[in-house]
Amino acid sequence: MASIRRTLSPAYHDRSYQNGVASAQSHKLFSTNNNSGKYSSSTATVAAASVYLRRKGFRRSLYRCMLFFILGLLLGIFPFGHVDNDINKHDFSFEMKPPHVNVQLDTNDNFAIPAVSLGVDQTIPQLDRFSRFDYVERRQVIVITPTYNRALQAYFLNRLGQVLRLVQPPLLWIVVEMTPASAETAEILRKIGVMYRHLVCVNKNNTNVKDRGVHQRNVGLEHIERHRLDGIVYFADDDNVYSLQLFESLRNISRFGTWPVAMLAQSKNKAILEGPVCNASRVIGWHTNEKSKKLRRFHVDMSGFAFNSTILWDPKRWNSPFSNPIRQLDTVKEGFQETTFIEQVVQDESQMEGVPPGCSRILNWHLHMDAHGLVYPRGWLLQKNLDVVLPIK
């Protein structure tokens, strides 16, 4: 029976393998069927050797990478060599240095140094500690307000407090009331939002309105004198009407300032003026309408003047001839408390200032709007706290 032999291609005789097995041996493996088992075992051995070599090469590369990584990390953590720490000092300097000056020696053995210029035409002014915060220095206004328990007290105090709250600081509100101090007044002052001091007039059992106001203002003056408060003192009753421009104008007073006050006549059917007549800021006369007050030296309302507080505790600064404390007098007739007090502060009109210049504006009103004889609604229980209210029957 004829047999067919397949010859291998010559290309297979010249092929070599990486595992070192010759092509001739491969040809012998394919030549006969009797050598098939030998071929299978040899092939498995070659494949296992190839996988082993590949794994060994991969592990070797991995170990090398890890070694170099650790070495680089250690070199970065522990630098070697000298590092110059003065780079910023030498290379980045913001100091202005003058140009080099050549010193020449003249015939008289004197040094001739030319003018040194730093190349700066104008200097920048140095900012003080307050300019960064837009700080504006203002004189303090000290407002003294006498008050007493009545039906409209809370309304008047709240109205005046809201006006003072709009005034630019510094402002100190001194509220004086008769003993005992009421919790309602203290609560109103706490909620207003104005710097205040709540004082009480002790050991004064006078029921007269005139005596009560005089003693309360004197308590405020004594407090200013004792604590040497610096500012412009102003008597502001709680039932008057004030403009914001008035309190801002008080800061321009150096010693004593005055201005006209509008008020209602006793008949309450017309408005009258009481205060100075001014030529610019100089006082040259007075407005007066009542015959009973023409004997007064200065025709000023209690809310129509203000003065420097240093007059109270530093009279030598103003060459004051009075050695006694400056206080309001309760022994004079009603309507003369203002003029007797002003006579202790200034000697004549030459020491006064008209506010505003020319006294051309009305800055506050004295309306006498307090209702006399007004009682609380029937059925209210009034003891110490006005918050305790019973229903009206």
Side-chain angles (χ1 to χ4, degrees):
M1 185 172 183
S3 63
I4 299 174
R5 173 178 288 182
R6 180 182 296 176
T7 59
L8 296 175
S9 176
Y12 289 97
H13 296 281
D14 299 335
R15 182 178 296 177
S16 60
Y17 297 91
Q18 295 179 357
N19 53 7
V21 181
S23 62
Q25 294 177 356
S26 300
H27 172 70
K28 292 179 180 180
L29 293 174
F30 287 100
S31 62
T32 60
N33 294 330
N34 296 328
N35 296 331
S36 60
K38 184 179 179 180
Y39 167 75
S40 300
S41 61
S42 299
T43 303
T45 303
V46 172
S50 177
V51 172
Y52 174 75
L53 292 176
R54 290 179 181 176
R55 290 181 178 179
K56 187 177 181 181
F58 175 75
R59 291 178 181 177
R60 184 180 300 174
S61 300
L62 180 62
Y63 292 155
R64 289 179 181 177
C65 291
M66 293 180 62
L67 178 62
F68 285 113
F69 175 76
I70 296 174
L71 181 61
L73 182 62
L74 294 176
L75 291 176
I77 296 177
F78 303 101
F80 298 93
H82 176 69
V83 180
D84 188 7
N85 296 326
D86 297 334
I87 295 177
N88 294 332
K89 292 184 180 180
H90 300 289
D91 297 342
F92 302 92
S93 177
F94 297 93
E95 182 181 0
M96 297 179 61
K97 298 181 179 180
H100 180 70
V101 179
N102 295 323
V103 180
Q104 299 178 357
L105 196 64
D106 58 1
T107 56
N108 296 328
D109 295 336
N110 295 326
F111 291 99
I113 301 177
V116 178
S117 176
L118 299 180
V120 180
D121 297 334
Q122 58 183 0
T123 58
I124 301 176
Q126 185 178 4
L127 299 178
D128 57 3
R129 59 177 180 173
F130 296 112
S131 60
R132 294 177 297 174
F133 306 101
D134 297 333
Y135 176 79
V136 179
E137 185 176 359
R138 302 184 184 93
R139 300 186 65 181
Q140 181 174 231
V141 177
I142 306 173
V143 180
I144 300 178
T145 300
T147 185
Y148 62 97
N149 186 16
R150 61 193 188 278
L152 298 178
Q153 180 187 15
Y155 166 73
F156 288 142
L157 286 178
N158 277 287
R159 185 181 64 177
L160 178 56
Q162 294 299 327
V163 175
L164 298 179
R165 187 177 182 181
L166 301 176
V167 180
Q168 294 291 335
L171 183 140
L172 176 62
W173 190 17
I174 300 178
V175 179
V176 187
E177 62 177 347
M178 302 299 294
T179 184
S182 63
E184 292 76 23
T185 302
E187 183 179 1
I188 291 174
L189 296 178
R190 284 195 301 267
K191 294 181 178 180
I192 285 296
V194 179
M195 184 172 62
Y196 73 93
R197 296 187 182 181
H198 188 192
L199 307 181
V200 177
C201 187
V202 186
N203 296 330
K204 299 294 181 181
N205 297 323
N206 299 315
T207 58
N208 193 331
V209 176
K210 179 193 68 173
D211 296 333
R212 179 179 60 240
V214 169
H215 293 305
Q216 288 174 312
R217 296 186 188 96
N218 287 338
V219 169
L221 295 175
E222 183 181 358
H223 181 80
I224 295 174
E225 182 179 354
R226 182 188 303 112
H227 297 280
R228 293 179 172 266
L229 301 179
D230 190 10
I232 302 299
V233 181
Y234 177 56
F235 299 118
D237 293 341
D238 55 1
D239 57 344
N240 291 352
V241 180
Y242 306 92
S243 64
L244 288 177
Q245 185 181 359
L246 169 63
F247 296 98
E248 296 298 336
S249 301
L250 297 180
R251 294 189 167 100
N252 300 325
I253 297 175
S254 59
R255 176 169 181 166
F256 184 92
T258 182
W259 55 90
V261 177
M263 59 183 63
L264 288 177
Q266 294 295 335
S267 59
K268 295 186 178 182
N269 57 1
K270 64 177 181 179
I272 58 177
L273 285 179
E274 187 174 21
V277 178
C278 303
N279 182 8
S281 60
R282 188 168 59 93
V283 178
I284 59 176
W286 302 96
H287 293 283
T288 181
N289 294 280
E290 299 182 16
K291 296 181 179 179
S292 60
K293 296 182 179 180
K294 289 185 178 180
L295 299 177
R296 294 189 302 175
R297 174 67 178 85
F298 302 110
H299 302 269
V300 185
D301 185 74
M302 187 64 70
S303 60
F305 65 92
F307 60 95
N308 198 313
S309 64
T310 57
I311 298 177
L312 300 175
W313 47 269
D314 191 12
K316 294 181 181 180
R317 173 183 175 183
W318 305 97
N319 298 324
S320 177
F322 301 99
S323 59
N324 298 328
I326 299 177
R327 299 290 186 270
Q328 291 190 5
L329 305 178
D330 58 349
T331 57
V332 297
K333 295 171 56 177
E334 183 179 359
F336 285 82
Q337 289 88 2
E338 296 88 349
T339 182
T340 55
F341 178 79
I342 296 175
E343 290 174 2
Q344 304 176 58
V345 179
V346 296
Q347 299 179 2
D348 51 23
E349 287 82 356
S350 62
Q351 298 178 346
M352 297 182 179
E353 309 167 32
V355 179
C359 301
S360 57
R361 295 182 180 179
I362 303 301
L363 301 179
N364 65 302
W365 287 75
H366 192 178
L367 300 179
H368 303 284
M369 296 297 292
D370 197 1
H372 298 284
L374 181 64
V375 297
Y376 294 97
R378 183 180 179 182
W380 283 26
L381 179 61
L382 302 177
Q383 294 178 350
K384 294 183 178 179
N385 193 347
L386 295 180
D387 294 335
V388 180
V389 180
L390 295 178
I392 300 177
K393 296 180 181 179

